Amino acid sequence: MVTPGSMVDRWGMLIRLTVIAAAIVAAVAAQPGVASASQTPPRKLLVKRINHVRARHGLDPVDASRALHSAAIRHSDDMVYRDYFSHTSPSGSTMVDRILKTGYVNGYSWVAGETLAWGWGTKSGARATVRAWMHSPEHRAILLSPKYRVIGAARACGRFLGYSGACVWTADWVARW
């Protein structure tokens, strides 16, 4: 049997549970380092940083390509997995091989460039990576080339060359016509 007092107790309990649940959700959302659905993927942060630098130099932005991203992530993953750092894999695969495999340039004339970087800690993020590229004449030339309009960018992290938590970046740059 429901009495007026028991209804008040149930409503009071429901209100307390709702307040507790809201407090837990707020506490979890406020935790640093907790991933959220709105967090920007590292490859998009890299493209954003690249476009920021290009804009400062009066250049048009580059557009991200899913096809070229697939080539870049395969290369970054391979470098971390097989513990090497090079434009050419131990099995001989080159940037040209990786880009051709995507189908992105089929039927086109094209040119491409590739920038690689790796780091750990504060040197593993998009900002540090673009800064390092801008201090390397070869990488800077690619990053600031007006001919490149499309990029595939990727990052893979893990134990790399003896460093735990290292990240390896690949950016494949393409102009096709």
Side-chain angles (χ1 to χ4, degrees):
M1 180 165 142
V2 177
T3 65
S6 67
M7 269 314 259
V8 171
D9 288 343
R10 286 185 184 162
W11 277 111
M13 177 68 81
L14 182 60
I15 290 170
R16 285 191 296 277
L17 288 174
T18 303
V19 169
I20 291 169
I24 291 170
V25 168
V28 169
Q31 292 294 316
V34 173
S36 70
S38 65
Q39 202 168 32
T40 305
R43 72 179 186 277
K44 290 185 179 182
L45 290 174
L46 184 71
V47 174
K48 182 178 178 180
R49 294 300 314 160
I50 287 168
N51 283 333
H52 176 76
V53 168
R54 287 175 63 92
R56 281 197 340 233
H57 287 84
L59 297 168
D60 289 331
V62 291
D63 294 320
S65 160
R66 282 199 173 277
L68 295 176
H69 166 71
S70 71
I73 193 63
R74 279 195 304 271
H75 191 51
S76 286
D77 283 344
D78 188 53
M79 286 190 287
V80 170
Y81 179 73
R82 296 203 282 176
D83 212 25
Y84 72 95
F85 186 71
S86 176
H87 294 281
T88 303
S89 78
S91 59
S93 173
T94 66
M95 168 196 66
V96 170
D97 298 325
R98 292 186 294 274
I99 290 172
L100 285 172
K101 189 175 181 177
T102 69
Y104 182 78
V105 296
N106 290 355
Y108 292 92
S109 295
W110 60 284
V111 294
E114 185 172 68
T115 51
L116 305 177
W118 78 273
W120 74 100
T122 61
K123 302 295 184 193
S124 66
R127 182 182 299 261
T129 298
V130 172
R131 187 178 302 122
W133 285 340
M134 288 299 290
H135 286 94
S136 160
E138 296 86 2
H139 294 95
R140 181 185 177 93
I142 293 170
L143 196 133
L144 296 180
S145 174
K147 71 182 168 190
Y148 294 122
R149 298 301 311 274
V150 181
I151 187 174
R155 181 184 85 167
C157 299
R159 184 160 188 77
F160 183 70
L161 300 179
Y163 294 89
S164 295
C167 294
V168 178
W169 293 90
T170 301
D172 290 325
W173 307 70
V174 173
R176 65 182 187 183
W177 60 97

